[in-house]
Amino acid sequence: MSADRIHAWLDAAIAQGHLRALDRAFALFLRSLDASADDRVIAAGALASFELGNGHIGVDVEDLLGDLAMDHDRALALPVRPEPVQWLEALKASGLVGQDAHDTSSPMMLEGGRLYLRRYWRYEQHVAEGIAGRLEGGEAPAAELVDDLNRLFAGQAAGAGEADWQKIACALAARSRFCVITGGPGTGKTTTVVKLLGLLQSRRLSSGAPRLRIRLAAPTGKAAARLNESIAAQVDRLPLDDATRAAIPPDVTTLHRLLGSRGDTRRFTHHRDNPLHVDVLVIDEASMVDLEMMAAVLDALPAESRLVLLGDKDQLSSVEAGAVLGDLCERAEDAHYDPATAAWLREATGADVGTAVRDDARPLDQHVVMLRHSHRFAGDSGIGALARAVNQGSTAAVRRALDGQGRGIGLMPPAAAVDLAVDGLPNGAPGYRAYLELMHARRDDAEPEAWAGAVLDAFGRFQLLCALRQGPAGVDSLNEAIAIRLRDLGLVSAIHGFFEGRPVLVNRNDYSLGLMNGDVGVCLALADGEGGRALRVAFRVGERIRFVTPSRLSGVQTVFAMTVHKSQGSEFAHTALVLPDIASPVLTRELLYTGVTRARDWFTLLATPDIVDAAVQRRTRRASGLRSHFA
C-alpha cells in the first residue's frame, strides 16, 4: 500500500469512527520509522492504539482480527484481509515490534500473541514484577498472630454459618508483604484494614522497634476524604492501648500527592531512585487505579514495604487504561487456596476454609481474599438484592428486584429524571429541593461554618448519576434542565456561572487551595462585613469548612448530575441513575452495579426495561496480560 493509500485508509477509518486522530498520528509515526513496513504492522499499530483508548492494555491479535472479521464494515475497511497467521508473522518479522525485554527501542511489543504499545508493556511488566516480588518470603508464623487476632475480633459476628472473612483477610494481610482485600459495599473492608493496622503496629511496638511508617492513600480526593472519616471513627474503638492507637495515622492522601505530582509531566517526585519512606501502604478504592498509576506506586515503593489493596472488584474499572484490581481478583469468588494456606489460616484464625481449597491454586490466590457478608444491606434490602442480581448477570433476578417497590428501590422512565431530582419521592427519598430550602431558611451569618456544613450535608443526601456526558440523558443536558427548573421555582437565581445554591465538582487537584479531584462544594452568599453579601463556595476539607472565592476556581463544573465514574468512592442516602433510551457500549453490568451501590437507603433507576436488560448482559472486558504473569 502506498503512503497515499495509508493516509486514505486512516482518514476513512477516522470518518467511520473506527479510529481516532491520535491513532492516525501513531500509525504515521510508525511509517516514518520504517517506510517499507508491512501494511499489517501499520494497521495493527493503529488498532492497538485505538484499543488502548478503550482501556485495553495489550490486544490479542487473533481475537481482535476475529472480531473485526465478524464486523463486515470494519473488515472491508482494513487495508489487508484480517488473517491472524499472516498478521502475526508480519509483526514478528518487523523491526517496529520487539518480542523480549532485551529489545529497548521498538515502539511496539508482541508477547503471548498480545500486541502492546511499548510504554504500556513496560507498565505491565513493572506491576507484575512488583507484585510477584512480594509474594515470596517474610511469612509471619500463624502462632504469633493468634492472640492479637482473637483480641481484635472478639465478639464479632460474621453472619450465620459463615467463616469470619474479615478475620481471615486481616490474617492473610499480616502474613506477607502483599494482599488484596475485595468485597462489596458494607462488607467491612475499612474495618478490616483498621484492625490490620492495629495488629501490625501492636506487634511492632511490643518488639521494642520504632513504630511502623504507615501511609493511607486513595485515587481521588473524595475517596481519600471518605476513608479518612471512616478510619478516624474506628481507631478509637480498637481494643488496644493508647500508644498503639496513636500510632495508626487517620490521614489519607491522594496517590498523586503521595507520589509527588510534578505539574504537567507524567513523572513523580518519588520513584525507585527516590523511594517512599513507608513500611505499610494501604490503597483504598483500588478499582479506580489504572495500570500506569499502579506501576508508578510499585516503582516508588521499597521492596521490603507491605502493600494492601482495598476495593470492590465488581465496580467500574479505572477511567484510564487497565483493570488492575479486576485482573488480580479474577479468581477471588472461589478463593483458590492451597492446603498450606488453609492449614495456616486454621492455626491463625480457627477458620476452616477447606471448601475454598482448589487443586489449581496459584501463588497470587494465597494473597487475595473476598469479604462476603454485607453489614450495610440486610438480607431483605432491595438495594442489596438488586446489586446481587446485577452481579449475577440475571435479567430475571434484576427485574424481580426492581419490582420490590417499598424496599428502597424503584424503576421510573428516564423522562422523570428532572422531576425526581428536584422533588425526590413521596416515600421520603430526598431530591435537591431539600438542601435549597434549608439554605434559604437557615441562613446564619453568626455561624457560617455550621450553616454551610448543614447545607453540604443536605446536598450530599441525594445525587443524580448518568452513564453519559452527552445526550438527553447525559450530564450536560440534565445539569442545565435541573438548573432551569430550580430557577423557575425560585430556588436559585441563575442557571449559568456562579449563583447561590450552585453545587460544583472539582475536576482536577488544586494543591494551593487544598482541593482534590472529586471534591464537591456549594456556592453560598455570605455576609461581607459591609452590609452586603459575597459569593463563596463552601467545601468540607477534613472536619473543617473551607470557603473559596469563585474566581479562584477554574476546574469545576455544576454537579446536579455527575457520571457514575465520578461517583466512585462516594455514598448518598438516595441515589438515582438515569440511563439513555438507546443502547450504548458504555452501558455495562459494572456501570449499573456501581450506580446501585452508591445508594445507602434509596435507589431509583430511571430507565426502560430493555435498556436495563442490555446493560446487565454486557460485561466490561479489558484486554491485558497481567493475569498471565501469575498463572
Side-chain angles (χ1 to χ4, degrees), residues 44 58 109 174 176 182 191 264 290 292 296 298 316 364 412 419 452 463 510 546-547 553 563 572 609:
M109 295 293 292
S176 61
T182 187
T191 298
D264 295 331
D290 61 85
E292 181 177 0
L298 287 162
L316 280 169
L364 175 64
M412 299 177 69
D419 291 336
Q463 184 63 60
D510 188 329
R546 176 168 297 171
F547 294 106
L553 295 171
T563 62
F572 312 95

Side-chain angles (χ1 to χ4, degrees), residues 40 61-62 65 82-92:
R40 297 175 182 84
V61 175
E62 187 170 348
L65 294 178
E83 298 170 339
V85 173
Q86 286 80 3
W87 282 60
L88 284 168
E89 288 178 352
L91 289 166
K92 291 175 182 177

Side-chain angles (χ1 to χ4, degrees), residues 340-375:
T341 295
W344 187 93
L345 284 171
R346 189 179 302 110
E347 183 179 359
T349 70
D352 183 358
V353 295
T355 57
V357 172
R358 299 287 185 272
D359 292 336
D360 61 344
R362 303 170 182 173
L364 175 64
D365 299 330
Q366 315 316 304
H367 301 259
V368 178
V369 61
M370 178 175 170
L371 306 182
R372 300 155 193 272
H373 177 70
S374 176
H375 300 273

Side-chain angles (χ1 to χ4, degrees), residues 224-520:
R226 285 201 62 216
L227 180 61
N228 188 93
E229 294 168 5
S230 182
I231 285 181
Q234 294 188 44
V235 167
D236 288 342
R237 297 200 295 268
L238 288 175
L240 300 170
D241 58 68
D242 292 343
T244 302
R245 288 197 297 268
I248 301 173
D251 299 327
V252 185
T253 187
T254 64
L255 287 171
H256 280 87
R257 177 168 281 181
L258 173 76
L259 296 176
S261 182
R262 295 169 54 188
D264 295 331
T265 178
R266 290 177 178 269
R267 297 180 180 274
F268 293 98
T269 300
H270 290 288
H271 44 74
R272 67 181 56 195
D273 296 323
N274 181 32
L276 292 164
H277 302 293
V278 60
D279 299 308
V280 181
L281 175 61
V282 176
I283 300 177
D284 194 23
E285 297 291 349
S287 63
M288 301 167 66
V289 182
D290 61 85
L291 183 73
E292 181 177 0
M293 176 57 78
M294 190 63 76
V297 169
L298 287 162
D299 189 53
L301 194 63
E304 65 276 9
S305 298
R306 187 187 306 266
L307 176 61
V308 180
L309 303 180
L310 306 178
D312 187 341
K313 68 180 180 64
D314 297 311
Q315 280 193 31
L316 280 169
S317 299
S318 55
V319 175
E320 302 299 331
V324 177
L325 188 73
D327 285 341
L328 297 176
C329 294
E330 182 190 27
R331 290 151 57 94
E333 195 86 33
D334 295 324
H336 289 85
Y337 295 136
D338 59 29
T341 295
W344 187 93
L345 284 171
R346 189 179 302 110
E347 183 179 359
T349 70
D352 183 358
V353 295
T355 57
V357 172
R358 299 287 185 272
D359 292 336
D360 61 344
R362 303 170 182 173
L364 175 64
D365 299 330
Q366 315 316 304
H367 301 259
V368 178
V369 61
M370 178 175 170
L371 306 182
R372 300 155 193 272
H373 177 70
S374 176
H375 300 273
R376 180 185 305 175
F377 302 131
D380 61 349
S381 162
I383 297 172
L386 179 58
R388 289 189 294 272
V390 170
N391 263 345
Q392 292 165 3
S394 168
T395 55
V398 168
R399 291 202 177 196
R400 286 196 300 272
L402 287 170
D403 285 340
Q405 308 289 335
R407 293 199 301 155
I409 60 173
L411 179 67
M412 299 177 69
V418 175
D419 291 336
L420 172 72
V422 171
D423 294 318
L425 295 172
N427 65 2
Y432 291 131
R433 179 192 290 270
Y435 92 90
L436 290 167
E437 289 180 342
L438 173 67
M439 180 187 75
H440 290 298
R442 286 183 53 186
R443 182 173 282 113
D444 189 343
D445 293 334
E447 297 187 28
E449 289 83 4
W451 170 57
V455 173
L456 286 167
D457 289 344
F459 173 77
R461 297 191 69 225
F462 170 73
Q463 184 63 60
L464 179 66
L465 304 180
C466 302
L468 305 173
R469 290 206 59 82
Q470 307 297 326
V475 166
D476 295 342
S477 296
L478 285 170
N479 267 325
E480 183 163 5
I482 293 167
I484 290 172
R485 177 69 61 82
L486 293 172
R487 182 197 60 186
D488 292 346
L489 291 170
L491 292 170
V492 300
S493 60
I495 59 174
H496 297 298
F498 283 93
F499 52 86
E500 187 174 25
R502 179 194 179 192
V504 299
L505 176 73
V506 176
N507 283 328
R508 59 175 178 264
N509 297 338
D510 188 329
Y511 296 109
S512 66
L513 296 176
L515 299 177
M516 299 292 117
N517 180 16
D519 284 348
V520 171

Side-chain angles (χ1 to χ4, degrees), residues 114-167:
R114 284 180 294 274
L115 183 66
Y116 298 82
L117 274 63
R118 166 171 288 281
R119 180 153 56 90
Y120 285 87
W121 176 84
R122 189 170 64 247
Y123 292 150
E124 186 173 282
Q125 297 295 311
H126 285 172
V127 170
E129 291 167 3
I131 292 174
R134 288 178 164 77
L135 301 185
E136 300 176 357
E139 185 175 299
E144 294 182 5
L145 302 177
V146 173
D147 291 342
D148 287 328
L149 286 169
N150 287 341
R151 181 167 71 256
L152 286 165
F153 289 88
Q156 177 167 307
E162 295 183 10
D164 189 340
W165 285 101
Q166 288 186 25
K167 188 175 184 181

